[in-house]
């Protein structure tokens, strides 16, 4: 979204955003590609740079479709990742003066990320037989 909207004039951003929302709401790869072609035909002459940005590595943009549907939103968005990094920055600023050495800081951050991984995997529907070990999924 960001890369495409970066090249879209302000007055067209809401329309482009709606089309992008339709694109990522596609039920499968065929519908995704059909919507991408519709967008190309609609926007190519109006905002060629935005269209080029959309089509550049389009195959990578639909990688999330290879996974189970319930994981699509987590894969497509960076919300969980952004939230995790905000949490780490906030806690680091509070405890910055409390670290006795770099190793202490490293252990603290490792513990925070391990906890975030465990919570993320707990919220995610795991495949049958999957086991969580230290934040890693083992099948």
């Amino acid at each position: 979204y960001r890369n495409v909207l970066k090249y879209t004039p302000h007055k067209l951003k809401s329309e482009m955003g709606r089309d992008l929302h339709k694109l990522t709401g596609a039920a499968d790869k065929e519908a995704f590609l059909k919507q991408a072609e519709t967008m190309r035909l609609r926007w190519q002459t109006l905002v060629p740079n935005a269209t080029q940005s959309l089509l550049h590595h389009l195959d990578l943009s639909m990688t999330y479709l290879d996974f189970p549907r319930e994981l699509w939103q987590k894969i497509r968005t960076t919300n969980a990742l952004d939230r995790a990094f905000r949490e780490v920055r906030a806690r680091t600023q509070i405890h910055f003066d409390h670290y006795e050495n770099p190793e202490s800081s490293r252990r603290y951050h490792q513990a925070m990320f391990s906890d975030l991984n465990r919570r993320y995997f707990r919220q995610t529907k795991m495949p049958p037989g999957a086991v969580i070990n230290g934040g890693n999924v083992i099948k």
Side-chain angles (χ1 to χ4, degrees):
Y1 281 19
R2 288 183 204 132
N3 287 334
V4 173
L5 293 174
K6 166 172 76 172
Y7 297 110
T8 305
H10 183 70
K11 65 181 182 179
L12 298 174
K13 284 187 187 218
S14 63
E15 272 186 82
M16 178 66 84
R18 281 191 293 274
D19 280 357
L20 287 167
H21 188 71
K22 287 179 193 173
L23 180 67
T24 57
D28 54 26
K29 285 187 179 185
E30 185 179 322
F32 186 97
L33 291 171
K34 184 177 179 182
Q35 178 62 24
E37 179 62 14
T38 301
M39 287 181 69
R40 184 189 68 77
L41 294 172
R42 178 177 183 195
W43 294 105
Q44 191 168 22
T45 55
L46 292 171
V47 280
N49 289 340
T51 307
Q52 183 180 2
S53 178
L54 171 69
L55 299 176
H56 186 71
H57 296 303
L58 188 65
D59 56 329
L60 296 176
S61 299
M62 59 184 187
T63 302
Y64 70 93
L65 294 167
D66 293 333
F67 293 87
R69 184 182 267 288
E70 58 268 9
L71 297 178
W72 287 3
Q73 185 174 6
K74 286 187 178 194
I75 294 170
R76 263 195 336 250
T77 66
T78 59
N79 293 345
L81 188 59
D82 291 341
R83 173 74 176 106
F85 283 118
R86 275 196 310 273
E87 184 77 20
V88 169
R89 277 194 301 272
R91 289 184 183 187
T92 301
Q93 289 173 354
I94 291 170
H95 298 291
F96 184 72
D97 295 332
H98 293 74
Y99 299 130
E100 292 183 17
N101 58 48
E103 179 62 22
S104 174
S105 171
R106 186 193 65 74
R107 283 193 312 265
Y108 181 78
H109 287 90
Q110 183 178 8
M112 284 179 35
F113 280 113
S114 291
D115 181 55
L116 289 168
N117 279 336
R118 274 192 298 277
R119 280 193 268 157
Y120 176 81
F121 285 116
R122 219 178 289 132
Q123 293 171 359
T124 305
K125 292 182 181 177
M126 303 304 294
V131 178
I132 300 172
N133 181 11
N136 300 316
V137 178
I138 301 171
K139 292 184 181 181

